[in-house]
Amino acid sequence: MGYLLLAGAIAAEVAATTAMKYSEGFSRLWPSLVTALGYLVSFALLAQTLKTLSIGTVYAIWSGVGTATIAVLGLMLFGEGLSATKVAGILLIVGGVVVLNLGGAH
């Protein structure tokens, strides 16, 4: 159940960050409200996740998967460029999450 809550927290955070881009500096009402609600839901789910999973594992997955997903969405939705450096960064994030999880965090 903890990983399901974590997946929801990641999805809400990604939605909130994407909406923030569309909010144009919080000058557009609806994307701004989606941003606030998304972060509220994300943190609430994250807090519930921490009841059953370790903080190091949870935060590594939440931040790493969220960051990598936002980087990919930046490419797909906003036409951001893809460089070898960006690919390396995403791979390092994913690798770091894997290494932390293999390191025995419970």
Side-chain angles (χ1 to χ4, degrees):
M1 185 65 166
Y3 285 104
L4 186 60
L5 290 170
L6 180 56
I10 293 166
E13 188 271 330
V14 167
T17 301
T18 304
M20 188 185 306
K21 174 72 172 172
Y22 285 113
S23 78
E24 297 180 14
F26 296 117
S27 65
R28 297 180 61 214
L29 177 63
W30 292 110
S32 299
L33 292 176
V34 170
T35 299
L37 180 62
Y39 281 119
L40 181 67
V41 169
S42 181
F43 286 127
L45 292 173
L46 198 60
Q48 293 304 308
T49 302
L50 291 174
K51 289 181 177 180
T52 58
L53 299 173
S54 71
I55 192 169
T57 300
V58 168
Y59 193 74
I61 294 170
W62 181 77
S63 61
V65 172
T67 300
T69 303
I70 287 297
V72 170
L73 286 175
L75 296 169
M76 294 175 12
L77 298 177
F78 306 112
E80 295 179 359
L82 181 63
S83 65
T85 305
K86 188 174 274 191
V87 170
I90 292 170
L91 290 174
L92 286 169
I93 291 167
V94 172
V97 170
V98 170
V99 169
L100 279 171
N101 283 299
L102 291 175
H106 298 292

